[in-house]
DNA sequence: TAAGATTTGTTCGTATGTATA
DNA sequence: ATATACATACGAACAAATCTT
């Protein structure tokens, strides 16, 4: 389980965590992230909060969610690291 | 169709219903339950809710789900009726 | 061998209600 | 009132195992 900073929102902290895992290669390009259910349990947070994070990661070009299949890490050139 | 008590969760009520059917012999030992799709339609509830109930029944030793075959009622001595 | 149907298993998507700050 | 967060529940698509034709 993870300890969250009570002074920041959970979703912002999870966003940073998952972005780091992508950028550092823990989650590899073109492969799926752990499922939403898995992340819920690993992080001890609600489904909607996980989805909020994934929506933002998708918006930033990090991942691509496909219904019924999974959420895949997009190739590095699609990432939009800075606020660009 | 079944009328659910709005003050209890659907899955808890369906769990009680199916457990009763098993314990009373409506669903017989070593034989398969109606399929998930059948239960969805009979009870008018979502697939995931049925699956949540079956997962709990399996956890309590009442049934054994086998992919591609069905969900079978386990012999009585395997049941874990009380909180034991 | 191949194709199709049935069944359980897994996944993302959406909506509602509740509680809290 | 708004944003955050959790729990429940429904919807839809995809996949794999099993069985039959």
């Amino acid at each position: 389980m993870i300890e969250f900073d009570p002074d920041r929102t959970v979703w912002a902290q999870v966003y940073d965590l998952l972005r780091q895992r992508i950028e550092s290669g823990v989650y590899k390009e073109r492969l799926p992230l752990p499922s939403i259910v898995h992340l819920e349990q690993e992080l001890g947070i609600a489904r909607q909060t996980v989805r909020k994070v994934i929506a933002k990661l998708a918006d930033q070009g990090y991942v691509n969610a496909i219904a019924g299949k999974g959420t895949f890490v997009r190739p590095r050139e699609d990432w939009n690291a800075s606020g660009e």
mmCIF file of all heavy atoms in Angstrom, chain D residues 2-21:
data_model
loop_
_atom_site.group_PDB
_atom_site.id
_atom_site.type_symbol
_atom_site.label_atom_id
_atom_site.label_comp_id
_atom_site.label_asym_id
_atom_site.label_seq_id
_atom_site.Cartn_x
_atom_site.Cartn_y
_atom_site.Cartn_z
ATOM 1 P P DT D 2 -21.407 25.247 -8.543
ATOM 2 O OP1 DT D 2 -21.193 26.252 -9.592
ATOM 3 O OP2 DT D 2 -22.373 24.152 -8.721
ATOM 4 O "O5'" DT D 2 -19.993 24.599 -8.200
ATOM 5 C "C5'" DT D 2 -18.957 25.439 -7.684
ATOM 6 C "C4'" DT D 2 -17.790 24.588 -7.238
ATOM 7 O "O4'" DT D 2 -18.053 24.020 -5.930
ATOM 8 C "C3'" DT D 2 -17.476 23.393 -8.154
ATOM 9 O "O3'" DT D 2 -16.150 23.529 -8.632
ATOM 10 C "C2'" DT D 2 -17.669 22.168 -7.267
ATOM 11 C "C1'" DT D 2 -17.488 22.725 -5.875
ATOM 12 N N1 DT D 2 -18.203 22.002 -4.788
ATOM 13 C C2 DT D 2 -17.500 21.612 -3.672
ATOM 14 O O2 DT D 2 -16.315 21.825 -3.524
ATOM 15 N N3 DT D 2 -18.255 20.964 -2.712
ATOM 16 C C4 DT D 2 -19.608 20.671 -2.771
ATOM 17 O O4 DT D 2 -20.168 20.095 -1.858
ATOM 18 C C5 DT D 2 -20.276 21.107 -3.977
ATOM 19 C C7 DT D 2 -21.728 20.836 -4.134
ATOM 20 C C6 DT D 2 -19.549 21.742 -4.912
ATOM 21 P P DA D 3 -15.588 22.415 -9.700
ATOM 22 O OP1 DA D 3 -14.732 23.138 -10.656
ATOM 23 O OP2 DA D 3 -16.692 21.580 -10.186
ATOM 24 O "O5'" DA D 3 -14.651 21.515 -8.779
ATOM 25 C "C5'" DA D 3 -13.735 22.159 -7.899
ATOM 26 C "C4'" DA D 3 -13.042 21.134 -7.033
ATOM 27 O "O4'" DA D 3 -13.931 20.706 -5.977
ATOM 28 C "C3'" DA D 3 -12.598 19.874 -7.775
ATOM 29 O "O3'" DA D 3 -11.272 19.549 -7.375
ATOM 30 C "C2'" DA D 3 -13.612 18.818 -7.341
ATOM 31 C "C1'" DA D 3 -13.979 19.297 -5.938
ATOM 32 N N9 DA D 3 -15.327 18.916 -5.499
ATOM 33 C C8 DA D 3 -16.487 19.035 -6.207
ATOM 34 N N7 DA D 3 -17.556 18.622 -5.551
ATOM 35 C C5 DA D 3 -17.052 18.204 -4.322
ATOM 36 C C6 DA D 3 -17.659 17.676 -3.179
ATOM 37 N N6 DA D 3 -18.968 17.439 -3.077
ATOM 38 N N1 DA D 3 -16.868 17.374 -2.129
ATOM 39 C C2 DA D 3 -15.556 17.596 -2.235
ATOM 40 N N3 DA D 3 -14.863 18.094 -3.251
ATOM 41 C C4 DA D 3 -15.678 18.389 -4.286
ATOM 42 P P DT D 4 -10.498 18.301 -8.023
ATOM 43 O OP1 DT D 4 -9.072 18.664 -8.121
ATOM 44 O OP2 DT D 4 -11.249 17.825 -9.201
ATOM 45 O "O5'" DT D 4 -10.641 17.209 -6.880
ATOM 46 C "C5'" DT D 4 -10.173 17.521 -5.575
ATOM 47 C "C4'" DT D 4 -10.539 16.421 -4.604
ATOM 48 O "O4'" DT D 4 -11.977 16.398 -4.428
ATOM 49 C "C3'" DT D 4 -10.151 15.008 -5.056
ATOM 50 O "O3'" DT D 4 -9.222 14.488 -4.133
ATOM 51 C "C2'" DT D 4 -11.470 14.238 -5.080
ATOM 52 C "C1'" DT D 4 -12.359 15.074 -4.181
ATOM 53 N N1 DT D 4 -13.828 14.992 -4.454
ATOM 54 C C2 DT D 4 -14.663 14.561 -3.458
ATOM 55 O O2 DT D 4 -14.269 14.229 -2.355
ATOM 56 N N3 DT D 4 -16.004 14.526 -3.802
ATOM 57 C C4 DT D 4 -16.557 14.887 -5.017
ATOM 58 O O4 DT D 4 -17.768 14.822 -5.209
ATOM 59 C C5 DT D 4 -15.611 15.335 -6.016
ATOM 60 C C7 DT D 4 -16.103 15.748 -7.362
ATOM 61 C C6 DT D 4 -14.308 15.364 -5.689
ATOM 62 P P DA D 5 -8.493 13.084 -4.464
ATOM 63 O OP1 DA D 5 -7.301 12.995 -3.584
ATOM 64 O OP2 DA D 5 -8.335 13.010 -5.910
ATOM 65 O "O5'" DA D 5 -9.532 11.973 -3.983
ATOM 66 C "C5'" DA D 5 -9.835 11.865 -2.606
ATOM 67 C "C4'" DA D 5 -10.915 10.828 -2.398
ATOM 68 O "O4'" DA D 5 -12.184 11.359 -2.821
ATOM 69 C "C3'" DA D 5 -10.732 9.523 -3.189
ATOM 70 O "O3'" DA D 5 -10.476 8.484 -2.260
ATOM 71 C "C2'" DA D 5 -12.065 9.320 -3.915
ATOM 72 C "C1'" DA D 5 -12.994 10.258 -3.170
ATOM 73 N N9 DA D 5 -14.111 10.753 -3.963
ATOM 74 C C8 DA D 5 -14.052 11.383 -5.176
ATOM 75 N N7 DA D 5 -15.234 11.709 -5.659
ATOM 76 C C5 DA D 5 -16.115 11.263 -4.703
ATOM 77 C C6 DA D 5 -17.525 11.304 -4.602
ATOM 78 N N6 DA D 5 -18.300 11.838 -5.541
ATOM 79 N N1 DA D 5 -18.090 10.766 -3.492
ATOM 80 C C2 DA D 5 -17.299 10.225 -2.558
ATOM 81 N N3 DA D 5 -15.979 10.133 -2.528
ATOM 82 C C4 DA D 5 -15.436 10.681 -3.639
ATOM 83 P P DC D 6 -10.187 6.994 -2.757
ATOM 84 O OP1 DC D 6 -9.071 6.528 -1.923
ATOM 85 O OP2 DC D 6 -10.084 6.972 -4.230
ATOM 86 O "O5'" DC D 6 -11.498 6.193 -2.337
ATOM 87 C "C5'" DC D 6 -11.962 6.269 -0.990
ATOM 88 C "C4'" DC D 6 -13.393 5.770 -0.908
ATOM 89 O "O4'" DC D 6 -14.247 6.674 -1.639
ATOM 90 C "C3'" DC D 6 -13.605 4.391 -1.542
ATOM 91 O "O3'" DC D 6 -13.980 3.443 -0.549
ATOM 92 C "C2'" DC D 6 -14.717 4.578 -2.567
ATOM 93 C "C1'" DC D 6 -15.297 5.928 -2.206
ATOM 94 N N1 DC D 6 -15.784 6.651 -3.407
ATOM 95 C C2 DC D 6 -17.154 6.860 -3.579
ATOM 96 O O2 DC D 6 -17.925 6.441 -2.707
ATOM 97 N N3 DC D 6 -17.596 7.512 -4.677
ATOM 98 C C4 DC D 6 -16.720 7.952 -5.582
ATOM 99 N N4 DC D 6 -17.195 8.585 -6.647
ATOM 100 C C5 DC D 6 -15.315 7.754 -5.424
ATOM 101 C C6 DC D 6 -14.894 7.101 -4.330
ATOM 102 P P DA D 7 -14.094 1.896 -0.958
ATOM 103 O OP1 DA D 7 -13.858 1.132 0.273
ATOM 104 O OP2 DA D 7 -13.280 1.662 -2.163
ATOM 105 O "O5'" DA D 7 -15.623 1.718 -1.389
ATOM 106 C "C5'" DA D 7 -16.651 1.961 -0.438
ATOM 107 C "C4'" DA D 7 -18.009 1.656 -1.050
ATOM 108 O "O4'" DA D 7 -18.337 2.668 -2.023
ATOM 109 C "C3'" DA D 7 -18.091 0.304 -1.771
ATOM 110 O "O3'" DA D 7 -19.183 -0.432 -1.241
ATOM 111 C "C2'" DA D 7 -18.287 0.676 -3.245
ATOM 112 C "C1'" DA D 7 -18.879 2.074 -3.179
ATOM 113 N N9 DA D 7 -18.525 2.930 -4.311
ATOM 114 C C8 DA D 7 -17.263 3.214 -4.762
ATOM 115 N N7 DA D 7 -17.233 4.024 -5.795
ATOM 116 C C5 DA D 7 -18.564 4.305 -6.037
ATOM 117 C C6 DA D 7 -19.203 5.107 -6.992
ATOM 118 N N6 DA D 7 -18.570 5.804 -7.932
ATOM 119 N N1 DA D 7 -20.562 5.173 -6.949
ATOM 120 C C2 DA D 7 -21.209 4.474 -6.008
ATOM 121 N N3 DA D 7 -20.714 3.685 -5.057
ATOM 122 C C4 DA D 7 -19.365 3.641 -5.121
ATOM 123 P P DT D 8 -19.493 -1.904 -1.775
ATOM 124 O OP1 DT D 8 -20.162 -2.620 -0.674
ATOM 125 O OP2 DT D 8 -18.299 -2.469 -2.426
ATOM 126 O "O5'" DT D 8 -20.589 -1.624 -2.914
ATOM 127 C "C5'" DT D 8 -21.780 -0.941 -2.562
ATOM 128 C "C4'" DT D 8 -22.587 -0.634 -3.796
ATOM 129 O "O4'" DT D 8 -21.873 0.312 -4.619
ATOM 130 C "C3'" DT D 8 -22.883 -1.843 -4.689
ATOM 131 O "O3'" DT D 8 -24.282 -2.056 -4.705
ATOM 132 C "C2'" DT D 8 -22.332 -1.452 -6.068
ATOM 133 C "C1'" DT D 8 -22.204 0.062 -5.962
ATOM 134 N N1 DT D 8 -21.148 0.680 -6.808
ATOM 135 C C2 DT D 8 -21.510 1.585 -7.786
ATOM 136 O O2 DT D 8 -22.659 1.904 -7.998
ATOM 137 N N3 DT D 8 -20.466 2.105 -8.512
ATOM 138 C C4 DT D 8 -19.124 1.821 -8.352
ATOM 139 O O4 DT D 8 -18.280 2.357 -9.055
ATOM 140 C C5 DT D 8 -18.811 0.864 -7.313
ATOM 141 C C7 DT D 8 -17.379 0.497 -7.048
ATOM 142 C C6 DT D 8 -19.825 0.349 -6.598
ATOM 143 P P DA D 9 -24.899 -3.387 -5.330
ATOM 144 O OP1 DA D 9 -26.255 -3.554 -4.805
ATOM 145 O OP2 DA D 9 -23.909 -4.474 -5.169
ATOM 146 O "O5'" DA D 9 -25.000 -3.042 -6.873
ATOM 147 C "C5'" DA D 9 -25.879 -1.994 -7.274
ATOM 148 C "C4'" DA D 9 -25.695 -1.727 -8.748
ATOM 149 O "O4'" DA D 9 -24.439 -1.065 -8.973
ATOM 150 C "C3'" DA D 9 -25.657 -2.970 -9.640
ATOM 151 O "O3'" DA D 9 -26.885 -3.037 -10.353
ATOM 152 C "C2'" DA D 9 -24.446 -2.751 -10.568
ATOM 153 C "C1'" DA D 9 -24.082 -1.299 -10.318
ATOM 154 N N9 DA D 9 -22.662 -1.005 -10.468
ATOM 155 C C8 DA D 9 -21.611 -1.544 -9.778
ATOM 156 N N7 DA D 9 -20.429 -1.082 -10.140
ATOM 157 C C5 DA D 9 -20.726 -0.185 -11.141
ATOM 158 C C6 DA D 9 -19.911 0.646 -11.938
ATOM 159 N N6 DA D 9 -18.589 0.687 -11.848
ATOM 160 N N1 DA D 9 -20.550 1.431 -12.850
ATOM 161 C C2 DA D 9 -21.882 1.388 -12.940
ATOM 162 N N3 DA D 9 -22.744 0.654 -12.252
ATOM 163 C C4 DA D 9 -22.093 -0.116 -11.355
ATOM 164 P P DC D 10 -27.172 -4.216 -11.410
ATOM 165 O OP1 DC D 10 -28.609 -4.479 -11.286
ATOM 166 O OP2 DC D 10 -26.189 -5.299 -11.251
ATOM 167 O "O5'" DC D 10 -26.931 -3.512 -12.820
ATOM 168 C "C5'" DC D 10 -27.586 -2.276 -13.089
ATOM 169 C "C4'" DC D 10 -27.004 -1.660 -14.345
ATOM 170 O "O4'" DC D 10 -25.642 -1.253 -14.081
ATOM 171 C "C3'" DC D 10 -26.956 -2.612 -15.537
ATOM 172 O "O3'" DC D 10 -27.622 -2.027 -16.643
ATOM 173 C "C2'" DC D 10 -25.462 -2.799 -15.811
ATOM 174 C "C1'" DC D 10 -24.864 -1.532 -15.219
ATOM 175 N N1 DC D 10 -23.452 -1.708 -14.808
ATOM 176 C C2 DC D 10 -22.462 -0.903 -15.370
ATOM 177 O O2 DC D 10 -22.785 -0.044 -16.194
ATOM 178 N N3 DC D 10 -21.165 -1.092 -14.994
ATOM 179 C C4 DC D 10 -20.859 -2.027 -14.099
ATOM 180 N N4 DC D 10 -19.578 -2.167 -13.765
ATOM 181 C C5 DC D 10 -21.868 -2.853 -13.517
ATOM 182 C C6 DC D 10 -23.130 -2.664 -13.898
ATOM 183 P P DG D 11 -27.746 -2.874 -17.995
ATOM 184 O OP1 DG D 11 -28.974 -2.410 -18.645
ATOM 185 O OP2 DG D 11 -27.555 -4.293 -17.657
ATOM 186 O "O5'" DG D 11 -26.483 -2.421 -18.879
ATOM 187 C "C5'" DG D 11 -26.272 -1.041 -19.122
ATOM 188 C "C4'" DG D 11 -25.145 -0.875 -20.124
ATOM 189 O "O4'" DG D 11 -23.862 -0.949 -19.447
ATOM 190 C "C3'" DG D 11 -25.100 -1.921 -21.239
ATOM 191 O "O3'" DG D 11 -25.049 -1.253 -22.486
ATOM 192 C "C2'" DG D 11 -23.846 -2.735 -20.968
ATOM 193 C "C1'" DG D 11 -22.975 -1.733 -20.220
ATOM 194 N N9 DG D 11 -22.024 -2.349 -19.298
ATOM 195 C C8 DG D 11 -22.308 -3.181 -18.247
ATOM 196 N N7 DG D 11 -21.241 -3.571 -17.596
ATOM 197 C C5 DG D 11 -20.191 -2.946 -18.258
ATOM 198 C C6 DG D 11 -18.800 -2.994 -18.001
ATOM 199 O O6 DG D 11 -18.202 -3.610 -17.121
ATOM 200 N N1 DG D 11 -18.093 -2.221 -18.910
ATOM 201 C C2 DG D 11 -18.658 -1.494 -19.942
ATOM 202 N N2 DG D 11 -17.826 -0.812 -20.725
ATOM 203 N N3 DG D 11 -19.959 -1.441 -20.183
ATOM 204 C C4 DG D 11 -20.660 -2.194 -19.303
ATOM 205 P P DA D 12 -25.179 -2.140 -23.849
ATOM 206 O OP1 DA D 12 -25.832 -1.235 -24.813
ATOM 207 O OP2 DA D 12 -25.750 -3.464 -23.545
ATOM 208 O "O5'" DA D 12 -23.662 -2.362 -24.306
ATOM 209 C "C5'" DA D 12 -22.789 -1.250 -24.346
ATOM 210 C "C4'" DA D 12 -21.384 -1.719 -24.672
ATOM 211 O "O4'" DA D 12 -20.755 -2.235 -23.482
ATOM 212 C "C3'" DA D 12 -21.315 -2.835 -25.715
ATOM 213 O "O3'" DA D 12 -20.447 -2.440 -26.755
ATOM 214 C "C2'" DA D 12 -20.761 -4.028 -24.958
ATOM 215 C "C1'" DA D 12 -20.009 -3.380 -23.814
ATOM 216 N N9 DA D 12 -19.894 -4.199 -22.618
ATOM 217 C C8 DA D 12 -20.889 -4.872 -21.967
ATOM 218 N N7 DA D 12 -20.484 -5.527 -20.900
ATOM 219 C C5 DA D 12 -19.130 -5.275 -20.850
ATOM 220 C C6 DA D 12 -18.125 -5.676 -19.956
ATOM 221 N N6 DA D 12 -18.336 -6.460 -18.906
ATOM 222 N N1 DA D 12 -16.868 -5.237 -20.188
ATOM 223 C C2 DA D 12 -16.654 -4.449 -21.251
ATOM 224 N N3 DA D 12 -17.515 -3.999 -22.156
ATOM 225 C C4 DA D 12 -18.752 -4.454 -21.895
ATOM 226 P P DA D 13 -20.300 -3.363 -28.065
ATOM 227 O OP1 DA D 13 -20.415 -2.417 -29.188
ATOM 228 O OP2 DA D 13 -21.168 -4.544 -27.956
ATOM 229 O "O5'" DA D 13 -18.787 -3.872 -27.991
ATOM 230 C "C5'" DA D 13 -17.764 -2.942 -27.701
ATOM 231 C "C4'" DA D 13 -16.526 -3.689 -27.261
ATOM 232 O "O4'" DA D 13 -16.756 -4.282 -25.962
ATOM 233 C "C3'" DA D 13 -16.126 -4.837 -28.185
ATOM 234 O "O3'" DA D 13 -14.831 -4.552 -28.704
ATOM 235 C "C2'" DA D 13 -16.148 -6.085 -27.306
ATOM 236 C "C1'" DA D 13 -16.074 -5.508 -25.896
ATOM 237 N N9 DA D 13 -16.729 -6.332 -24.880
ATOM 238 C C8 DA D 13 -18.040 -6.704 -24.828
ATOM 239 N N7 DA D 13 -18.347 -7.436 -23.774
ATOM 240 C C5 DA D 13 -17.150 -7.547 -23.089
ATOM 241 C C6 DA D 13 -16.798 -8.195 -21.882
ATOM 242 N N6 DA D 13 -17.654 -8.888 -21.140
ATOM 243 N N1 DA D 13 -15.508 -8.113 -21.482
ATOM 244 C C2 DA D 13 -14.650 -7.416 -22.241
ATOM 245 N N3 DA D 13 -14.858 -6.765 -23.381
ATOM 246 C C4 DA D 13 -16.147 -6.862 -23.753
ATOM 247 P P DC D 14 -14.180 -5.540 -29.789
ATOM 248 O OP1 DC D 14 -13.282 -4.692 -30.593
ATOM 249 O OP2 DC D 14 -15.235 -6.332 -30.407
ATOM 250 O "O5'" DC D 14 -13.265 -6.526 -28.929
ATOM 251 C "C5'" DC D 14 -12.312 -5.977 -28.030
ATOM 252 C "C4'" DC D 14 -11.776 -7.066 -27.134
ATOM 253 O "O4'" DC D 14 -12.815 -7.514 -26.238
ATOM 254 C "C3'" DC D 14 -11.294 -8.319 -27.876
ATOM 255 O "O3'" DC D 14 -9.895 -8.434 -27.692
ATOM 256 C "C2'" DC D 14 -12.069 -9.471 -27.240
ATOM 257 C "C1'" DC D 14 -12.570 -8.858 -25.931
ATOM 258 N N1 DC D 14 -13.815 -9.466 -25.400
ATOM 259 C C2 DC D 14 -13.776 -10.107 -24.172
ATOM 260 O O2 DC D 14 -12.704 -10.179 -23.566
ATOM 261 N N3 DC D 14 -14.919 -10.659 -23.665
ATOM 262 C C4 DC D 14 -16.057 -10.559 -24.345
ATOM 263 N N4 DC D 14 -17.150 -11.109 -23.803
ATOM 264 C C5 DC D 14 -16.124 -9.897 -25.605
ATOM 265 C C6 DC D 14 -14.991 -9.372 -26.088
ATOM 266 P P DA D 15 -9.089 -9.581 -28.497
ATOM 267 O OP1 DA D 15 -7.716 -9.072 -28.651
ATOM 268 O OP2 DA D 15 -9.875 -10.010 -29.654
ATOM 269 O "O5'" DA D 15 -9.052 -10.789 -27.453
ATOM 270 C "C5'" DA D 15 -8.541 -10.559 -26.149
ATOM 271 C "C4'" DA D 15 -8.754 -11.792 -25.279
ATOM 272 O "O4'" DA D 15 -10.142 -11.910 -24.919
ATOM 273 C "C3'" DA D 15 -8.366 -13.116 -25.951
ATOM 274 O "O3'" DA D 15 -7.249 -13.652 -25.267
ATOM 275 C "C2'" DA D 15 -9.614 -13.994 -25.809
ATOM 276 C "C1'" DA D 15 -10.419 -13.277 -24.739
ATOM 277 N N9 DA D 15 -11.861 -13.451 -24.846
ATOM 278 C C8 DA D 15 -12.685 -13.011 -25.844
ATOM 279 N N7 DA D 15 -13.953 -13.314 -25.657
ATOM 280 C C5 DA D 15 -13.955 -14.011 -24.462
ATOM 281 C C6 DA D 15 -14.983 -14.606 -23.715
ATOM 282 N N6 DA D 15 -16.263 -14.608 -24.083
ATOM 283 N N1 DA D 15 -14.639 -15.222 -22.562
ATOM 284 C C2 DA D 15 -13.356 -15.231 -22.188
ATOM 285 N N3 DA D 15 -12.303 -14.709 -22.803
ATOM 286 C C4 DA D 15 -12.682 -14.098 -23.948
ATOM 287 P P DA D 16 -6.538 -14.953 -25.853
ATOM 288 O OP1 DA D 16 -5.106 -14.805 -25.518
ATOM 289 O OP2 DA D 16 -6.966 -15.207 -27.231
ATOM 290 O "O5'" DA D 16 -7.139 -16.117 -24.935
ATOM 291 C "C5'" DA D 16 -7.085 -15.985 -23.532
ATOM 292 C "C4'" DA D 16 -7.785 -17.165 -22.873
ATOM 293 O "O4'" DA D 16 -9.217 -17.022 -23.044
ATOM 294 C "C3'" DA D 16 -7.419 -18.524 -23.464
ATOM 295 O "O3'" DA D 16 -7.279 -19.462 -22.412
ATOM 296 C "C2'" DA D 16 -8.611 -18.855 -24.355
ATOM 297 C "C1'" DA D 16 -9.751 -18.208 -23.589
ATOM 298 N N9 DA D 16 -10.908 -17.852 -24.404
ATOM 299 C C8 DA D 16 -10.906 -17.228 -25.617
ATOM 300 N N7 DA D 16 -12.106 -17.006 -26.097
ATOM 301 C C5 DA D 16 -12.955 -17.526 -25.137
ATOM 302 C C6 DA D 16 -14.359 -17.607 -25.054
ATOM 303 N N6 DA D 16 -15.187 -17.151 -25.990
ATOM 304 N N1 DA D 16 -14.886 -18.182 -23.953
ATOM 305 C C2 DA D 16 -14.052 -18.644 -23.003
ATOM 306 N N3 DA D 16 -12.721 -18.621 -22.968
ATOM 307 C C4 DA D 16 -12.232 -18.041 -24.083
ATOM 308 P P DA D 17 -6.734 -20.932 -22.709
ATOM 309 O OP1 DA D 17 -5.633 -21.159 -21.766
ATOM 310 O OP2 DA D 17 -6.531 -21.100 -24.162
ATOM 311 O "O5'" DA D 17 -7.957 -21.858 -22.288
ATOM 312 C "C5'" DA D 17 -8.495 -21.732 -20.987
ATOM 313 C "C4'" DA D 17 -9.779 -22.531 -20.875
ATOM 314 O "O4'" DA D 17 -10.816 -21.890 -21.645
ATOM 315 C "C3'" DA D 17 -9.657 -23.965 -21.407
ATOM 316 O "O3'" DA D 17 -10.237 -24.847 -20.451
ATOM 317 C "C2'" DA D 17 -10.436 -23.934 -22.721
ATOM 318 C "C1'" DA D 17 -11.463 -22.842 -22.473
ATOM 319 N N9 DA D 17 -11.914 -22.144 -23.673
ATOM 320 C C8 DA D 17 -11.136 -21.550 -24.626
ATOM 321 N N7 DA D 17 -11.825 -20.982 -25.594
ATOM 322 C C5 DA D 17 -13.144 -21.222 -25.257
ATOM 323 C C6 DA D 17 -14.356 -20.883 -25.870
ATOM 324 N N6 DA D 17 -14.457 -20.200 -27.022
ATOM 325 N N1 DA D 17 -15.505 -21.273 -25.265
ATOM 326 C C2 DA D 17 -15.419 -21.957 -24.114
ATOM 327 N N3 DA D 17 -14.327 -22.338 -23.439
ATOM 328 C C4 DA D 17 -13.214 -21.932 -24.073
ATOM 329 P P DT D 18 -10.074 -26.440 -20.671
ATOM 330 O OP1 DT D 18 -9.997 -27.056 -19.331
ATOM 331 O OP2 DT D 18 -9.033 -26.690 -21.696
ATOM 332 O "O5'" DT D 18 -11.480 -26.820 -21.324
ATOM 333 C "C5'" DT D 18 -12.675 -26.476 -20.640
ATOM 334 C "C4'" DT D 18 -13.873 -26.747 -21.537
ATOM 335 O "O4'" DT D 18 -13.907 -25.780 -22.597
ATOM 336 C "C3'" DT D 18 -13.859 -28.113 -22.220
ATOM 337 O "O3'" DT D 18 -14.880 -28.913 -21.624
ATOM 338 C "C2'" DT D 18 -14.138 -27.815 -23.701
ATOM 339 C "C1'" DT D 18 -14.616 -26.359 -23.662
ATOM 340 N N1 DT D 18 -14.333 -25.558 -24.876
ATOM 341 C C2 DT D 18 -15.383 -25.039 -25.582
ATOM 342 O O2 DT D 18 -16.539 -25.222 -25.265
ATOM 343 N N3 DT D 18 -15.029 -24.297 -26.690
ATOM 344 C C4 DT D 18 -13.750 -24.021 -27.141
ATOM 345 O O4 DT D 18 -13.562 -23.344 -28.138
ATOM 346 C C5 DT D 18 -12.681 -24.601 -26.345
ATOM 347 C C7 DT D 18 -11.260 -24.364 -26.758
ATOM 348 C C6 DT D 18 -13.027 -25.322 -25.271
ATOM 349 P P DC D 19 -15.021 -30.442 -22.064
ATOM 350 O OP1 DC D 19 -15.574 -31.156 -20.901
ATOM 351 O OP2 DC D 19 -13.753 -30.890 -22.683
ATOM 352 O "O5'" DC D 19 -16.135 -30.382 -23.190
ATOM 353 C "C5'" DC D 19 -17.357 -29.680 -22.933
ATOM 354 C "C4'" DC D 19 -18.134 -29.508 -24.238
ATOM 355 O "O4'" DC D 19 -17.484 -28.528 -25.053
ATOM 356 C "C3'" DC D 19 -18.236 -30.794 -25.074
ATOM 357 O "O3'" DC D 19 -19.600 -31.170 -25.200
ATOM 358 C "C2'" DC D 19 -17.613 -30.404 -26.420
ATOM 359 C "C1'" DC D 19 -17.664 -28.871 -26.398
ATOM 360 N N1 DC D 19 -16.619 -28.222 -27.191
ATOM 361 C C2 DC D 19 -16.961 -27.340 -28.208
ATOM 362 O O2 DC D 19 -18.153 -27.115 -28.415
ATOM 363 N N3 DC D 19 -15.986 -26.739 -28.930
ATOM 364 C C4 DC D 19 -14.707 -27.003 -28.667
ATOM 365 N N4 DC D 19 -13.778 -26.392 -29.407
ATOM 366 C C5 DC D 19 -14.313 -27.901 -27.635
ATOM 367 C C6 DC D 19 -15.285 -28.492 -26.918
ATOM 368 P P DT D 20 -19.945 -32.536 -26.044
ATOM 369 O OP1 DT D 20 -21.048 -33.174 -25.313
ATOM 370 O OP2 DT D 20 -18.707 -33.288 -26.355
ATOM 371 O "O5'" DT D 20 -20.501 -31.926 -27.408
ATOM 372 C "C5'" DT D 20 -21.369 -30.798 -27.371
ATOM 373 C "C4'" DT D 20 -21.672 -30.315 -28.775
ATOM 374 O "O4'" DT D 20 -20.548 -29.587 -29.298
ATOM 375 C "C3'" DT D 20 -21.977 -31.416 -29.796
ATOM 376 O "O3'" DT D 20 -23.055 -31.022 -30.614
ATOM 377 C "C2'" DT D 20 -20.691 -31.514 -30.594
ATOM 378 C "C1'" DT D 20 -20.227 -30.069 -30.591
ATOM 379 N N1 DT D 20 -18.790 -29.849 -30.793
ATOM 380 C C2 DT D 20 -18.371 -28.921 -31.742
ATOM 381 O O2 DT D 20 -19.144 -28.288 -32.419
ATOM 382 N N3 DT D 20 -17.022 -28.794 -31.856
ATOM 383 C C4 DT D 20 -16.042 -29.463 -31.130
ATOM 384 O O4 DT D 20 -14.866 -29.249 -31.322
ATOM 385 C C5 DT D 20 -16.540 -30.400 -30.163
ATOM 386 C C7 DT D 20 -15.569 -31.191 -29.329
ATOM 387 C C6 DT D 20 -17.872 -30.549 -30.043
ATOM 388 P P DT D 21 -23.835 -32.105 -31.516
ATOM 389 O OP1 DT D 21 -25.247 -32.061 -31.116
ATOM 390 O OP2 DT D 21 -23.095 -33.374 -31.512
ATOM 391 O "O5'" DT D 21 -23.698 -31.480 -32.992
ATOM 392 C "C5'" DT D 21 -23.687 -30.065 -33.169
ATOM 393 C "C4'" DT D 21 -23.051 -29.744 -34.513
ATOM 394 O "O4'" DT D 21 -21.618 -29.575 -34.344
ATOM 395 C "C3'" DT D 21 -23.232 -30.805 -35.598
ATOM 396 O "O3'" DT D 21 -23.653 -30.183 -36.797
ATOM 397 C "C2'" DT D 21 -21.851 -31.425 -35.746
ATOM 398 C "C1'" DT D 21 -20.955 -30.240 -35.399
ATOM 399 N N1 DT D 21 -19.598 -30.609 -34.909
ATOM 400 C C2 DT D 21 -18.512 -29.920 -35.392
ATOM 401 O O2 DT D 21 -18.590 -29.016 -36.188
ATOM 402 N N3 DT D 21 -17.313 -30.335 -34.888
ATOM 403 C C4 DT D 21 -17.090 -31.356 -33.973
ATOM 404 O O4 DT D 21 -15.959 -31.630 -33.594
ATOM 405 C C5 DT D 21 -18.270 -32.038 -33.511
ATOM 406 C C7 DT D 21 -18.165 -33.164 -32.538
ATOM 407 C C6 DT D 21 -19.473 -31.644 -34.004
#
